[in-house]
Every structure is written in C-alpha cells, then in structure tokens.
Amino acid sequence: RAEERRGRVREAERLYRVALAARPSWPLAAVPLVRIVVARAQPTLAAAIAEARRLIAAPRAAHPGHVLVDVVEAELLLEEDRAEEAKALLLAARSRGAPRVVDLALARAENRIGLALASGGRSDEAAFAFKRACDLDDGWAPPRANLGALWQRLGRPRQALEQYRRALALDPAHPLASFNLGTLLRERGDLSGAARAFTQAMAARPPHPDARVELALALAERGDDAEAIELFEEELRLGRPVPATLRNLAKLYARGGRLIEAAALLHRA
C-alpha cells in the first residue's frame, strides 16, 4: 500500500502478488491487485478482466459476502458494461450494512445506468439514475456533468448550467462539464464566459477533443480574429483539416484581406 501511495505501482503489484501467493484467499491483497491489473489492461481489457477474476476467485470462495470482494466484482461487471448486475450485487451488499465503499461503487453503477438510459431515450429514468449517483457520492463530478448534458439536450438550460457549475466546483478539470458549459454559454450569448469554459476544457486531462475549435469560434464571434486564426491553424498543424475548420479559417482570412489563402482553403474544403 505504501508503494502504491508513492506511485510505484509496479513494485506495489509485485508485493501484492507475493502476499497473495503466500495467502491466496486474502482479500486485502487480492482487491488492490485486481484494480492494478484492470487499470493496466494488458494485453487487452478482456484479458485483464479474465486475470482479475482468477485472482479474486479464492478470496470470494473463502469469504462469501466480503464487502471488498463484492465491490471489486461490481467494478469488473461495470468494465464489462453489466451495470444492472453490478447494481444488484452492490444493493445486496448494502442490505448487510452500508459502508461508504459500497455507496461509492453504487454511484458508479447508477451513473453507468443513467448513461445507458439516456442513450436509449429514457430521459426521466436517466435523470433519476444520475441523481441517485449524486446522492450516493456527492463529491464525484461525472453524474452532475451527465445530468447537465441531459438537461441541456432537453432544452432546460438553467438546470444544465447549475449542474455544470456544481460539477466543476468538484472537479475544475472535468472536460465534459467545462466543454458543455462553454456551448451553453455561447448559445446564451456569453462569449467571454464560453471562451473561459472552452479554455478550461482544453487544459483538462485528457482535453476535450473539440474544445480548440469551439474556442476559436467563440473568439471569432467576439471579434478576436487573430487568436481564432491561431487556434484554427493549430488544428490544421495537428492534422485535423475537417471541412468546417477550413471554411471557418477561410472566412477569417477573407475578413482580414488574405483572399488568396482563403480561396486555397475553400478549394481544400
């Protein structure tokens, strides 16, 4: 555990494996080792999950109903997109008591279920799932960002704005919340606020893939043509010459009198 806290994950993995070899049914060695194996996902996620299930088999047999074993099994089910099964397992664990670790895992299951419901057009059920996830883990940003995206898609900008801001208060580097906040502010005419949000989405890790283009568009609408041109040109240098980027950059070139360059870009588009 000390090695893992120091960021020396390979050494932590080695020590967990030594501990588990000496005591194969020990949950306190198996559970963190399973998480390391899945996070590494080598050679593939499916192979990592198969290894994880082998590692957890003896602890599960020796300690049926052990809360950590149930939680890590639920995490494996979520990796396999079996969110409803994960939720059922966690609710059963919760019925035997409600340790915080179960609630945190259940929040992940509810969030995943909410995403599936939203993609299937079941918006009311999705909203309830996201809200349950927020209640179970009020310090976790993703369900708030997802709830905001749902409200924005349903034409409820005030509620969406509230959820994006609450998500970013929890995690200022959340790419979806900052990007969607930018699109919402831009729709409402707050170009400066949109530019700040898109800049935040660009700085996130990982950055939102569309943040640079949207920031350029917001800056262009605000009249900051030089900054917008620089961002569009950066997109081209990164090898993303999509027609919309080419046309928008051509428009800015033309507005600045660079007609030959604008014509060349339009020809490419």
Side-chain angles (χ1 to χ4, degrees):
R1 286 176 179 169
E3 294 294 349
E4 196 170 1
R5 284 195 294 270
R6 293 189 189 107
R8 299 174 59 182
V9 178
R10 288 187 180 277
E11 179 62 10
E13 179 181 353
R14 185 187 71 80
L15 291 169
Y16 286 135
R17 288 187 184 278
V18 169
L20 204 59
R23 190 172 163 189
S25 63
W26 196 12
L28 295 184
V31 167
L33 179 56
V34 162
R35 286 173 172 155
I36 289 173
V37 166
V38 173
R40 188 180 61 228
Q42 294 294 330
T44 64
L45 179 58
I49 291 173
E51 182 184 359
R53 292 197 186 283
R54 289 193 296 271
L55 292 169
I56 207 67
R60 185 189 298 112
H63 306 279
H66 191 291
V67 65
L68 292 180
V69 174
D70 283 349
V71 165
V72 81
E73 173 62 25
E75 290 171 0
L76 295 177
L77 290 169
L78 287 175
E79 292 289 347
E80 295 174 319
D81 290 326
R82 296 161 64 186
E84 290 287 357
E85 293 174 67
K87 178 180 176 178
L89 178 62
L90 292 166
L91 287 174
R94 203 169 187 242
S95 70
R96 301 190 297 269
R100 180 67 172 156
V101 66
V102 175
D103 282 353
L104 298 181
L106 193 52
R108 274 71 185 160
E110 292 284 12
N111 185 61
R112 190 73 65 91
I113 289 167
L115 290 170
L117 290 168
S119 67
R122 296 163 65 181
S123 300
D124 290 343
E125 294 168 83
F128 280 121
F130 291 139
K131 288 175 181 177
R132 284 194 296 267
C134 293
D135 291 340
L136 288 160
D137 186 356
D138 60 3
W140 191 42
R144 296 200 179 279
N146 292 330
L147 184 56
L150 180 63
W151 291 151
Q152 185 174 359
R153 194 175 75 200
L154 295 175
R156 298 168 65 174
R158 184 178 60 79
Q159 292 95 324
L161 193 63
E162 177 189 359
Q163 292 303 324
Y164 291 146
R165 285 178 168 155
R166 293 177 74 176
L168 290 169
L170 295 170
D171 180 7
H174 194 282
L176 176 66
S178 50
F179 179 83
N180 284 356
L181 175 62
T183 63
L184 185 56
L185 292 174
R186 186 175 165 220
E187 288 170 6
R188 292 160 70 93
D190 182 359
L191 297 177
S192 295
R196 287 192 296 271
F198 289 134
T199 300
Q200 200 170 353
M202 280 179 60
R205 289 294 175 267
H208 194 286
D210 299 323
R212 184 180 287 102
V213 165
E214 292 298 326
L215 175 58
L217 290 170
L219 291 171
E221 286 181 36
R222 201 173 68 177
D224 296 327
D225 288 9
E227 294 178 64
I229 286 171
E230 186 177 338
L231 290 166
F232 281 132
E233 288 176 341
E234 179 65 17
E235 279 289 294
L236 299 186
R237 285 193 294 272
L238 291 171
R240 296 196 283 258
V242 298
T245 296
L246 295 170
R247 286 193 295 270
N248 284 313
L249 182 55
K251 188 185 298 183
L252 291 172
Y253 280 168
R255 200 151 76 186
R258 300 164 63 177
L259 300 180
I260 294 176
E261 292 168 275
L265 286 176
L266 289 174
H267 179 72
R268 288 176 62 187

